[in-house]
Amino acid sequence: MLAAEPGVTRILTGGTDVMVQMRAGLAAPALVVDVKHLTGLRAITPEAGGYRIGAAVPGAVMGEHAGLRALWPGVVEGVELIGSTQVQGRATMAGNLCNGSPAADAVPGLVAADAVVRIMGVDGARDCPVIDIPAGPGRTTLAKGDIVTSIFLPARPARSGDAYLRFTPRSEMDIAVVSAAVSLTLGADGAVTAARVALGAVAPTVLLVDEAAQAIIGTRLDDAALAALAAACSAACRPIDDKRGTVAFRTQVAGVLARRAASIARDRAHSAGDAA
Amino acid sequence: MPRDNNDTRVFKVVGTRPPRPDGIDKVTGRAMYGADVTAPGMLSAQILRSPHAHARIVAIDTAAAAALPGVKAIVTAADFMAQDDAGLDDILVNCMARDVVLYDGHAVAAVAATTPAIARAALKLIDVTYEALPHVTDVDAAMRPDAPVVQAGRANESVPAGMSPNVTHHCEFGHGDVDAGFAAADVIVERSFTTAATHQGYIEPHACLATFTGEDKADLWCCTQGQYNVRTVCAALMGMEASQLRVTASEIGGGFGGKTTVFIEPVALALSRKAGRPVKIVMSRDEVFRATGPTVSSSIDVRIGMTRDGRITAGEAVLRYSGGAFPCGTVDMGAQSAFAAYDMPAVRTLGWNALTNRPKEAAYRAPGAPMAIYAVESVVDELCQTLALDPLDVRLKNAARKGTLSSYGPTFDDIGLVATLEAAKAHPHYHAPLGPGQGRGLSAGFWFNFGGNTCVSLNINTDGTVGVTEGNPDIGGSRAAISQMAAEELGLPYEKIRTIVADTASLGHNDVTDGSRVTFAVGLATIKAAQDAVAKMCARAAAIWGIDPDAVEWVDGAAQPCGPNAGKFPPMSLAEIAAVSFQTGGPIAGHHEFNADGAGVSFGVHLVDVEVDRETGATKVLRYTVFQDAGKAVHPSYVEGQMQGGAVQGIGWALNEEYIYGEDGRLQNPGFLDYRIPVASDLPNIDTVILEIPNPGHPYGVRGVGETPIVPPLAALSNAVSRAIGLRLNRLPMSPPRILAALSGS
Ligand SMILES: Cc1cc2nc3c(=O)[nH]c(=O)nc-3n(C[C@H](O)[C@H](O)[C@H](O)COP(=O)(O)OP(=O)(O)OC[C@H]3O[C@@H](n4cnc5c(N)ncnc54)[C@H](O)[C@@H]3O)c2cc1C
């Protein structure tokens, strides 16, 4: 149906972007398909030690899922930053990703988690890493007729933790001027064995900063390692000057947030290890 | 006016906190706001707005839009009569551009159609040919002699020759020998400041419904702070007699000064006259930002001299304001209020207004004062730091008091500044320890307050209840305060009074709800109207008893013979007199109409603690206390609400709020996402301390309280942030990128 419509189409899950864009005259789709009642789209299902999250699961439901919170606290905190209590009852992680905003709050956490998107296309189902979905502001690599059905958050080793931080001038009801997510695993000796670092709102799409991850792998996140992480993040930024922030601001604060997120992720990894 | 032995009077209702009469309707959604009125056969109108900051309108082709089925009327400037009065003509041109668009969002045409969707579709069919003109949006740039000219020939006689044609207005205030004053100073600090234009941020967008019921007879419902002003302006613009235009004010979802003029009402009237049907206009948030009236933007130089022991010897300020694309006198109020808190031997303030390609300024609580006092209070704070003096001691040492020749001319009567400063000094907040990265700032603030034209009727109902009819939209709980004052004067319980806001046909003229005037002036008229009714009730009782009216007094809600010689009769209550009123001469009502004088000036002091994240430039407001002289707080909760609301709006102004214009002169943030007013989680509880230094001009001592609270926050925040980071900031807003840039030395 979506593929056959010649005009502009929109899939709708929570509708917190779609409806707003239509009201503001930014989008005038000829066809809107609400997919949230499709079977399975509203379930969080354990799978292979991780969780498969249906595309229509709203933020509030993720926030109340103790297992998910324990395994991927940074992903959940990114989702929970979206909007207000009212918005949380509707807004989904899939919508956040597919809306294509470089400032989307759920996306850096998903990229740091190396989450995988399951897509139902005209030719059947396929899986795709989250990092490959965004294509630029308001654009994705999804084809017309592609429906995201779920997002898979994998299992992770003991002593792992993740965290997401965003900078907004207001404490809520705001949009990230710059954001950072860090996911890491510690060895028994407390040194970082694996890490992924992602930045939001500093480039046309979310950035996965490998240099930043390399800067902390093998370290115990001492001050020098954290400074190297911050420097690598700042170096990776390709931001713009706009009404929300300057290039200098975004570049500098990206490093600060990554450093702070790494410290939180480390603390979480320690307590995850203690609990295990 | 003499006070009724105010200091000893024991109030029964005034000073208590009864529930507001409009509260339940508002929280249950029953209150009727501007957009809630409908009429049979009503059309919906939409306004086409300029995408250019400045352009000549070469042609407007409305043929295709007019041909769209469902379109019933289209108006452009050609449908309005130019006005002889320059002020009225500016209002008109602001509602509908004539020949030239002067700012991004300026209205160029409007369509009324059977549905909003058709009206929107019709806008897309209107073809406007523009010829772009150079634009200027910055006040300092606009004052340069070679600046793009917004409007030529608008300067008044106060402007010297040779300045940019954008400069429309100049003013000067002060007294004493300023040069001698600076010569006597041990330290002189001179700084320049800028503040961004900010919007009042009321939640309810402008909305109205207009309907012509004959060629020259119309009704208008609208969301406004002053239905009489709307009538005066619209009747003139439409060429109607005032009696034939009845204006009814809806409940109002915030105004703060921004609803003291008209933007859409003349357009709705013109469309309704043309279509012969009722026409409704409801602005979108985008339109509210682009095309209603924000504050002035400003650029200010301040120079102050001080002796080593903290005496101010002289002060000077040059204020450059822009009220957008039309002449604007707001700088007068800035120049008058800048140094009002100080007793100064020598002071001089110079004000300039310059045109820019921005929307026409509208009032915003204490218009013109916050930015002027921000600049002065910042320099005073820097002097205190330089001389290692306590900032409250320095303000106390120099404080204006009774008998002070004010910086703007008059000599002050009883004022509460010293008491307010002393209350701040005695408060635990001032002595609480600060943590690392934290700073404490304070500022004094001032506003003139206003009285103005007021007309009130007070009707005694036969069942012993009372209706008060007044003409000022209630934006801060004034119906409650007015009912309280009527109850106090009549000796009735508060619940027996109902106060309503009448339409323009029901009362004589009432000035707009502005200038913090309503509780003062309408309250005073209500007291007088109640006294009028009391005199009539005493006369009725006297007639029943067969005694002289002078021998009757009003005590605790009843007439009674006064003194042993008057005769022995049991008291007659208001209800008893009202019940027999048809037999004693007919209905009983009290009236009062006057141009109220004697609104006492008001001072406030704000104290704030902040913490600045040096790595991100983010400021967190940790603690905030407002000290203000209310004269007499009629309803203390609503006084506190005014104090808290002003502080919060000022916090937004200081930290994040600003009109951001691009190189193209277009407004980049016409919405609440990027125009950042604070949300609840950004704020600590705002603590309040009400002082009551009675206003000699009111029988209960009331002073207006609505505007002063927005004056001190700008400097209080700036002083707190500057002390927290160890660097002086001189530009508002102090958004995180600006603070971080200052800390990085760039
Ligand atoms: C008041 C408010 C505050 C907000 N605050 C934030 C915030 O703080 N941070 C933030 O990041 N965002 C914020 N948003 C934006 C929005 O809420 C989020 O992006 C949200 O996650 C979108 O999810 P949704 O389910 O509502 O998406 P929808 O509006 O339903 O869809 C969004 C986009 O994704 C597409 N889409 C949706 N589902 C699918 C699917 N299954 N397959 C393929 N394409 C799909 C839609 O076609 C559309 O283009 C806010 C929005 C509002 C109204």
Side-chain angles (χ1 to χ4, degrees):
Chain A
M1 186 163 79
L2 284 159
E5 167 59 48
V8 176
T9 63
R10 279 286 187 287
I11 298 167
L12 180 146
T13 44
T16 62
D17 281 315
V18 171
M19 300 301 286
V20 174
Q21 288 159 8
M22 286 170 61
R23 286 282 301 261
L26 297 173
L31 177 68
V32 176
V33 180
D34 183 349
V35 298
K36 66 174 156 289
H37 299 289
L38 294 181
T39 323
L41 254 64
R42 285 201 284 185
I44 300 177
T45 322
E47 180 180 321
Y51 289 100
R52 182 164 295 283
I53 296 151
V57 173
V61 172
M62 289 181 65
E64 285 167 8
H65 194 289
L68 184 58
R69 278 197 100 99
L71 194 64
W72 289 104
V75 172
V76 177
E77 77 191 341
V79 174
E80 287 194 304
L81 280 171
I82 295 171
S84 56
T85 304
Q86 294 90 330
V87 172
Q88 279 288 309
R90 289 266 162 191
T92 67
M93 201 159 68
N96 195 244
L97 174 64
C98 299
N99 185 53
S101 164
D105 279 315
V107 177
L110 286 172
V111 168
D114 206 6
V116 177
V117 180
R118 180 152 298 165
I119 301 159
M120 182 60 75
V122 189
D123 307 322
R126 66 181 195 277
D127 282 349
C128 170
V130 165
I131 185 76
D132 292 337
I133 300 289
R139 291 185 297 116
T140 65
T141 55
L142 295 174
K144 200 165 176 177
D146 279 352
I147 298 176
V148 170
T149 52
S150 65
I151 297 176
F152 179 63
L153 285 165
R156 54 194 334 203
R159 285 184 301 277
S160 295
D162 68 334
Y164 172 74
L165 291 174
R166 68 171 183 181
F167 184 84
T168 55
R170 266 194 302 234
S171 50
E172 57 184 338
M173 299 306 283
D174 210 331
I175 180 165
V177 179
V178 35
S179 64
V182 175
S183 172
L184 51 75
T185 301
L186 305 176
D189 61 350
V192 177
T193 56
R196 283 169 69 92
V197 179
L199 300 177
V202 293
T205 62
V206 61
L207 294 180
L208 177 65
V209 188
D210 194 43
E211 301 75 17
Q214 295 309 325
I216 54 173
I217 290 174
T219 76
R220 290 162 188 267
L221 292 176
D222 50 281
D223 288 351
L226 287 172
L229 163 80
C233 286
S234 293
C237 292
R238 289 176 277 122
I240 53 168
D241 266 326
D242 70 3
K243 59 196 170 193
R244 293 180 186 145
T246 56
V247 168
F249 179 81
R250 288 187 159 108
T251 306
Q252 191 171 339
V253 176
V256 172
L257 294 185
R259 203 185 68 219
R260 293 179 181 178
S263 301
I264 298 169
R266 172 193 49 199
D267 294 346
R268 286 178 178 163
H270 276 306
S271 42
D274 298 344
Chain B
M1 175 188 313
R3 248 185 273 147
D4 307 355
N5 46 22
N6 218 340
D7 306 326
T8 53
R9 177 163 183 164
V10 179
F11 291 102
K12 293 204 173 81
V13 187
V14 163
T16 64
R17 303 170 184 248
R20 58 195 296 161
D22 47 319
I24 290 182
D25 285 349
K26 283 179 174 165
V27 298
T28 56
R30 289 196 188 92
M32 300 282 283
Y33 289 93
D36 291 330
V37 185
T38 56
M42 183 179 88
L43 303 174
S44 254
Q46 298 278 333
I47 297 175
L48 184 68
R49 298 187 177 279
S50 166
H52 301 287
H54 196 194
R56 197 177 315 288
I57 302 173
V58 179
I60 306 179
D61 183 352
T62 58
L68 188 70
V71 170
K72 300 296 177 190
I74 300 177
V75 295
T76 65
D79 295 275
F80 295 90
M81 286 175 304
Q83 301 290 305
D84 294 335
D85 179 273
L88 274 176
D89 202 52
D90 282 346
I91 292 174
L92 173 59
V93 170
N94 189 46
C95 290
M96 194 57 71
R98 185 190 298 147
D99 305 329
V100 179
V101 290
L102 294 166
Y103 55 90
D104 167 41
H106 200 168
V108 288
V111 178
T114 48
T115 69
I118 295 174
R120 261 193 301 275
L123 291 191
K124 296 209 174 79
L125 298 174
I126 298 178
D127 187 13
V128 186
T129 311
Y130 293 104
E131 177 193 321
L133 296 170
H135 65 268
V136 58
T137 55
D138 175 76
V139 60
D140 288 317
M143 287 193 63
R144 283 182 208 121
D146 58 346
V149 177
V150 178
Q151 289 196 59
R154 298 307 306 269
N156 70 14
E157 59 294 339
S158 65
V159 178
M163 302 198 74
S164 157
N166 293 324
V167 178
T168 59
H169 177 76
H170 175 60
C171 61
E172 180 171 347
F173 297 92
H175 60 251
D177 184 341
V178 174
D179 294 334
F182 282 116
D186 293 318
V187 183
I188 296 172
V189 167
E190 183 172 1
R191 295 282 177 260
S192 297
F193 301 85
T194 60
T195 68
T198 54
H199 196 272
Q200 300 82 355
Y202 36 81
I203 296 301
E204 184 195 14
H206 299 255
C208 69
L209 173 71
T211 177
F212 268 84
T213 51
E215 177 54 26
D216 283 309
K217 181 161 167 265
D219 281 294
L220 176 66
W221 290 265
C222 61
C223 168
T224 179
Q225 291 177 238
Q227 62 273 41
Y228 295 86
N229 175 61
V230 171
R231 179 182 67 174
T232 304
V233 172
C234 290
L237 300 189
M238 303 308 294
M240 300 170 69
E241 290 179 351
S243 61
Q244 298 307 320
L245 176 61
R246 184 172 61 149
V247 183
T248 308
S250 68
E251 287 293 338
I252 181 167
F256 310 106
K259 292 175 182 167
T260 55
T261 183
V262 299
F263 300 106
I264 52 175
E265 293 80 359
V267 179
L269 282 164
L271 285 167
S272 173
R273 175 136 78 184
K274 210 164 174 174
R277 287 169 64 168
V279 172
K280 181 160 162 178
I281 301 182
V282 180
M283 273 187 158
S284 66
R285 183 66 60 193
D286 175 276
E287 289 181 287
V288 170
F289 274 106
R290 289 167 70 208
T292 67
T295 62
V296 296
S297 51
S298 80
S299 161
I300 301 170
D301 310 323
V302 169
R303 183 168 180 238
I304 299 177
M306 202 178 264
T307 58
R308 220 164 272 114
D309 63 349
R311 258 243 153 262
I312 296 177
T313 59
E316 199 169 31
V318 181
L319 305 99
R320 294 167 293 271
Y321 284 13
S322 178
F326 299 88
C328 170
T330 297
V331 73
D332 278 49
M333 291 185 277
Q336 291 182 40
S337 59
F339 288 101
Y342 296 100
D343 182 356
M344 296 167 73
V347 55
R348 179 164 61 208
T349 56
L350 307 177
W352 302 93
N353 181 70
L355 302 176
T356 52
N357 293 108
R358 289 170 175 252
K360 188 177 194 297
E361 183 250 21
Y364 182 12
R365 293 178 102 155
M371 35 306 240
I373 288 176
Y374 152 67
V376 167
E377 289 290 273
S378 295
V379 172
V380 170
D381 198 57
E382 185 173 346
L383 280 161
C384 294
Q385 275 188 306
T386 308
L387 294 166
L389 297 170
D390 177 87
L392 269 178
D393 286 342
V394 167
R395 284 172 175 85
L396 273 166
K397 191 168 212 157
N398 296 283
R401 56 195 81 214
K402 185 171 186 167
T404 295
L405 172 62
S406 71
S407 58
Y408 61 98
T411 297
F412 285 128
D413 198 333
D414 282 328
I415 56 172
L417 177 60
V418 169
T420 310
L421 289 163
E422 281 170 348
K425 202 173 170 195
H427 196 276
H429 182 171
Y430 195 58
H431 308 283
L434 287 170
Q438 299 179 356
R440 175 167 299 145
L442 71 93
S443 170
F446 160 86
W447 186 243
F448 308 92
N449 291 340
F450 178 59
N453 294 297
T454 309
C455 179
V456 167
S457 285
L458 183 147
N459 298 308
I460 310 291
N461 302 321
T462 50
D463 67 349
T465 62
V466 171
V468 179
T469 305
E470 51 112 346
N472 278 91
D474 174 356
I475 55 179
S478 56
R479 275 168 295 193
I482 288 163
S483 294
Q484 284 180 280
M485 286 186 267
E488 188 73 49
E489 207 58 35
L490 294 169
L492 277 193
Y494 169 79
E495 295 71 27
K496 295 285 179 206
I497 318 273
R498 178 162 183 194
T499 299
I500 64 131
V501 179
D503 63 54
T504 53
S506 305
L507 282 175
H509 180 90
N510 281 280
D511 283 342
V512 172
T513 295
D514 69 1
S516 301
R517 70 174 219 92
V518 174
T519 305
F520 166 74
V522 181
L524 185 44
T526 301
I527 292 167
K528 296 279 173 195
Q531 290 168 352
D532 186 27
V534 162
K536 290 171 184 169
M537 289 188 287
C538 287
R540 298 288 175 96
I544 291 168
W545 294 328
I547 65 173
D548 193 272
D550 290 344
V552 178
E553 61 181 358
W554 191 259
V555 179
D556 287 339
Q560 64 180 38
C562 62
N565 302 331
K568 263 195 141 358
F569 302 100
M572 269 190 96
S573 69
L574 181 145
E576 286 163 348
I577 296 169
V580 297
S581 60
F582 292 180
Q583 288 82 52
T584 60
I588 303 169
H591 302 278
H592 196 72
E593 45 277 326
F594 69 154
N595 188 348
D597 219 346
V601 301
S602 149
F603 287 91
V605 173
H606 290 204
L607 205 51
V608 59
D609 297 350
V610 302
E611 183 170 308
V612 180
D613 182 336
R614 296 183 73 93
E615 289 188 325
T616 64
T619 299
K620 187 167 171 48
V621 182
L622 302 172
R623 185 172 183 182
Y624 203 110
T625 311
V626 178
F627 305 84
Q628 190 176 321
D629 168 21
K632 174 72 199 169
V634 177
H635 193 305
S637 299
Y638 302 153
V639 172
E640 288 157 6
Q642 292 291 330
M643 291 159 74
Q644 292 166 327
V648 169
Q649 287 182 313
I651 290 169
W653 194 337
L655 294 181
N656 282 306
E657 294 180 35
E658 63 178 317
Y659 267 49
I660 304 172
Y661 282 92
E663 287 294 310
D664 58 2
R666 298 187 63 179
L667 183 62
Q668 299 198 341
N669 56 338
F672 281 137
L673 176 55
D674 285 302
Y675 182 89
R676 290 185 171 78
I677 64 176
V679 294
S681 53
D682 292 330
L683 301 163
N685 185 45
I686 309 287
D687 295 318
T688 55
V689 177
I690 301 175
L691 288 98
E692 295 188 323
I693 292 94
N695 168 20
H698 188 281
Y700 300 168
V702 170
R703 295 175 197 272
V705 296
E707 288 169 292
T708 299
I710 204 173
V711 179
L714 312 193
L717 266 293
S718 183
N719 292 337
V721 170
S722 296
R723 285 172 181 258
I725 64 176
L727 267 180
R728 274 279 146 194
L729 297 175
N730 52 13
R731 181 174 177 196
L732 298 185
M734 298 177 290
S735 57
R738 289 211 185 115
I739 290 182
L740 197 62
L743 285 168
S744 323
S746 59

